[in-house]
Amino acid sequence: MTVAPSRPDARGYDRADWSSGFRNVSQELSDVSLRPSRGQLPAGLVGTLYRNGPGRLERGGQWVHHPFDGDGMICALRFDGDGGARLSNRFVRTEGWQAEEQAGRFLYRGVFGTQKPGGPLANAFDVRLKNIANTHVVRLGERLLALWEAAGPHELDPDSLETRGLTTLDGALRPGEAFSAHPRFDPGHHGRPRMVTFSVRTGPRSSLRLLEFATHDDAASGERAGQLISERQDSFAGFAFLHDFAITPNWAVFLQNAVRFNPLPFVLGQKGAGQCLSSDPNGQARFWLVPRAGGRHAGEAPRIVDAPDGFVFHHLNAWEDGDTVVVESIFYNDFPAIGPDQDFRSIDFDLIPEGLLEQCRIDLASGTVTTQRLSERCCEFAMVNPSREGLSSRYGWMAVAERETGNDPLQAIKKLDLISGERRLWSAAPRGFVSEPLMVPAPDARGEDEGWVLVPVWNGARCASDLVVLDAASLAECAVLELPLAIPYGLHGSWVPA
Ligand code: CO
């Protein structure tokens, strides 16, 4: 794809720059050494940034219908503390990726509307899922896990990124069981750090498994990293589309969006399964609060509380204030779908709802919820300092639009003071577009905002990706690494300290 010279419109970006970030990755690099092209890498930033996202968006001349249907590609950027970094990337060798690489065309339908060549007749009644492993990547003990929420995790070698294959996590999962792509990392609310995650099977009733894994070896308790420590199973009325959740010391908090699912167009080969989801105007969104193992309510039944209208993919954080559970989430006023006849590269941002950060206070005694908007600026991919996960936090970092209101591509990073409302902004506009920022605390941090924010940027001028390191407190630019790779807009990633 070629990119015209930048002509930012009134909104401050050029559509050709934006859409040039959707492409195939054609290389797999191994430990390519990099030095910053601007600034200096902080000496304390030592560890590995892992990122996941769709790396293959076209086969045999056919484009995916939605980038979320692209095969997962993992990038690892290792910071050795010597002023440089090393970059590696690998596709996850899923069964579907291998078969389609061989065939040179799509052999599977995508959840977000990608169809096999041949029209509805060729797609009807083919309800096989291709586990594309493209949503998140996390380290659990000796495993690196590539996650995709509709099926099981793929295990990779954390150093070489080589795919070891699907894993049941030592029998914790049944073969083929769906495993969330949004684990939450409890920094140690009950003494030991945990990876808390879930598995959901949905239908007229939805069955939810809540799982807690040890993340570190512990000689005193005999726990080993990756070991399943606790689980519970609950069932709830209604269809559930659960992408993310949040934790507090006592609760796992889920938001059951008011959506309905009509599988017929999917079965008939007209739409992807994800395109059969729509807002249910007569439905009622609900919070499900599931008591956590080790918490004050362990073993009790879940609490169910009506939630405000709107649609949520991602939460910022949750915490407890006495008998009130506070959840901060990015709300859309409708389910943002891409119709079967739309090309995702030519979407009209003005016609799709923007994400806005809101705080819901759930009063457990009365079962009532009060909602407050925290910011009017379109945002996504928000996080707090990982040591404040599940606890009240002062600051959130998130990807935002350059414009103060309205829907636009994500081009800037915002640090929001959740108490005072004060904000700072760093912007990649007009020619840069950001993916999920990660806040990495400094090793000896005393302040909540002491550390760095790692930002993958699609650089429309270079038609390649940069990794920008910001100071987490001031959002001043510390360093820019110009990567010798063009990485399409990504999904989620994680930081593993050395
Ligand atoms: Co997500």
Side-chain angles (χ1 to χ4, degrees), residues 184-306:
R184 290 279 174 178
F185 288 86
D186 166 350
H189 301 148
H190 304 292
R192 306 275 316 144
R194 297 281 183 248
M195 181 177 97
V196 187
T197 189
F198 64 97
S199 151
V200 64
R201 204 173 55 219
T202 193
R205 277 193 84 74
S206 295
S207 145
L208 179 75
R209 256 180 109 197
L210 186 70
L211 307 154
E212 304 212 8
F213 294 86
T215 57
H216 295 75
D217 292 327
D218 180 46
S221 63
E223 283 179 15
R224 33 179 202 82
Q227 185 183 349
L228 180 64
I229 300 298
S230 73
E231 65 171 304
R232 63 176 286 162
Q233 184 156 340
D234 295 282
S235 93
F236 299 88
F239 181 83
F241 172 82
L242 303 176
H243 176 66
D244 191 10
F245 78 128
I247 55 167
T248 71
N250 293 302
W251 304 100
V253 184
F254 295 85
L255 204 169
Q256 180 194 25
N257 292 297
V259 291
R260 57 189 166 188
F261 180 66
N262 170 13
L264 205 58
F266 169 57
V267 174
L268 295 179
Q270 297 156 342
K271 284 183 173 184
Q275 293 173 303
C276 299
L277 278 175
S278 59
S279 290
D280 181 357
N282 303 314
Q284 172 64 56
R286 290 192 177 87
F287 285 112
W288 299 345
L289 293 105
V290 181
R292 283 188 58 195
R296 224 172 25 240
H297 307 284
E300 292 177 16
R303 312 274 185 97
I304 300 173
V305 179
D306 285 356

Side-chain angles (χ1 to χ4, degrees), residues 321-354:
D321 181 7
D323 261 353
T324 299
V325 175
V326 185
V327 193
E328 289 146 349
S329 315
I330 299 166
F331 274 83
Y332 293 81
N333 66 18
D334 197 3
F335 180 69
I338 301 253
D341 302 320
Q342 272 173 297
D343 180 337
F344 66 88
R345 289 165 295 177
S346 57
I347 53 165
D348 182 347
F349 281 90
D350 287 333
L351 296 182
I352 42 178
E354 71 265 38

Side-chain angles (χ1 to χ4, degrees), residues 68 135-136 149 181-182 243-244 313-314 380-381 436 491-492:
F68 292 175
T135 311
H136 202 345
E149 69 194 24
H182 266 284
H243 176 66
D244 191 10
F313 287 103
H314 292 128
E380 250 303 342
F381 300 130
E436 177 194 61
L491 292 166
H492 301 294

